[in-house]
Amino acid sequence: MTDPQHFVEIRHAQKSYGKFEVLKDISLTVERGQIVAIIGPSGSGKSTLLRAINDLDPLTGGEIWLDGVQVNKKLPHRQYEKHINAMRQHVGMVFQHFNLFPHLTVRENVTMAPKLLKGISEDEANKLAEEQLNHVGMIERIDYYPSQLSGGQKQRVAIARALAMRPKLMLFDEATSALDPELVEEVNQVMKTLAEEHMTMIIVTHEMDFAASVCDRVLFMDQGVVVEEGPPEKVFRNPDQERTREFLRKHLEGAK
């Protein structure tokens, strides 16, 4: 059993593609209501680790636990499908490129999963969609198609779609990196609101200011390992590891 106090627990996570090790024996915990940022250079394993949490990118070794239940159980195929679909209903994920269905309206994009996976009625799904679109400031665009929206608006719809499943955990994989700079803040604002509501979140991001102002903990990853972790003020202002200092220096130079 996992420690019931830990909401998310990653135990000895390993991921390899042939001889290439993407994740090397990573163990970490996230408590209920915590907001954790994962930073690091491209190719450090950040997104792989995030996608492993709901078994979108299955681990080669190790275990993922959510709220006392092992996510990546070894089960016969049909049992596994039933198990993982049930687990994924508790985990909302927002990707870099929105992944909205272009042929569906905003309303249809948000109502589809609750109707299909939770079996709720059309009326109930519509109420849920209106509630969540209002939450992210997109209620006025409810009957628009994705092609009629800006990048920031699409990402806010993607967040509303994830929230419509009433998840226990939200995962954000570089949610703002495909956006023009002026659109980034509108998505960050939604994430800040979720933080104020104590939603448990794990956020892969390259935005250090956002991580510093919103997150409880920051993990710096490089070459498949967690090099450093701690409160944002410690990691950003007084990191222990030279590799962290070097990364932050390069990031500051690149931002100038």
Side-chain angles (χ1 to χ4, degrees):
M1 273 296 292
T2 189
D3 184 333
Q5 292 185 327
H6 297 316
F7 186 56
V8 180
E9 187 168 358
I10 298 172
R11 296 176 171 185
H12 305 292
Q14 295 173 290
K15 176 71 178 182
S16 299
Y17 295 102
K19 291 183 180 177
F20 179 58
E21 279 189 291
V22 185
L23 301 176
K24 304 171 186 174
D25 195 22
I26 291 177
S27 294
L28 63 95
T29 59
V30 178
E31 310 310 327
R32 193 183 300 272
Q34 263 196 338
I35 299 131
V36 176
I38 306 176
I39 64 170
S42 296
S44 58
K46 307 183 300 293
S47 292
T48 302
L49 182 64
L50 197 75
R51 290 166 62 86
I53 291 170
N54 60 359
D55 219 26
L56 276 177
D57 206 342
L59 294 175
T60 312
E63 298 175 356
I64 307 285
W65 292 75
L66 174 65
D67 206 10
V69 179
Q70 188 177 348
V71 176
N72 62 334
K73 283 182 180 176
K74 300 287 186 284
L75 293 168
H77 181 70
R78 282 191 180 177
Q79 282 178 258
Y80 167 78
E81 288 296 313
K82 189 176 178 183
H83 162 74
I84 201 63
N85 287 338
M87 292 303 299
R88 284 177 182 159
Q89 289 189 32
H90 301 302
V91 183
M93 187 151 189
V94 179
F95 300 90
Q96 183 176 346
H97 294 293
F98 330 125
N99 294 10
L100 298 177
F101 293 106
H103 61 292
L104 300 181
T105 64
V106 166
R107 182 195 304 272
E108 290 164 339
N109 265 285
V110 177
T111 57
M112 178 190 256
K115 286 194 294 186
L116 282 177
L117 299 174
K118 293 196 167 178
I120 68 174
S121 70
E122 187 83 36
D123 284 352
E124 207 179 337
N126 274 322
K127 278 182 195 165
L128 194 55
E130 286 165 13
E131 179 189 329
Q132 294 305 339
L133 288 165
N134 201 41
H135 199 180
V136 301
M138 286 297 295
I139 191 67
E140 291 171 7
R141 301 284 194 276
I142 192 166
D143 292 315
Y144 283 46
Y145 285 90
S147 61
Q148 297 171 291
L149 305 177
S150 70
Q153 289 171 335
K154 287 177 191 172
Q155 197 59 293
R156 284 190 280 158
V157 172
I159 294 170
R161 179 178 60 180
L163 291 173
M165 289 299 290
R166 303 278 194 220
K168 298 176 180 179
L169 170 68
M170 285 287 288
L171 306 176
F172 291 88
D173 189 7
E174 296 278 17
T176 58
S177 64
L179 302 178
D180 292 332
E182 65 269 22
L183 301 176
V184 168
E185 185 49 37
E186 66 184 70
V187 175
N188 280 347
Q189 199 52 56
V190 173
M191 292 163 70
K192 285 174 186 173
T193 301
L194 292 178
E196 287 162 9
E197 294 165 1
H198 307 292
M199 169 65 78
T200 312
M201 296 190 279
I202 305 175
I203 302 166
V204 169
T205 185
H206 63 284
E207 290 186 59
M208 305 304 150
D209 290 344
F210 176 81
S213 64
V214 174
C215 298
D216 302 302
R217 277 168 64 210
V218 176
L219 276 62
F220 169 62
M221 284 184 67
D222 190 30
Q223 297 183 355
V225 298
V226 176
V227 175
E228 184 140 13
E229 68 172 299
E233 57 273 16
K234 175 75 173 72
V235 173
F236 290 128
R237 292 182 189 171
N238 190 25
D240 292 324
Q241 305 300 320
E242 176 54 36
R243 181 65 191 92
T244 315
R245 291 193 284 274
E246 180 193 346
F247 171 78
L248 292 171
R249 265 198 308 272
K250 282 184 179 171
H251 184 84
L252 283 171
E253 285 165 9
K256 285 176 184 173

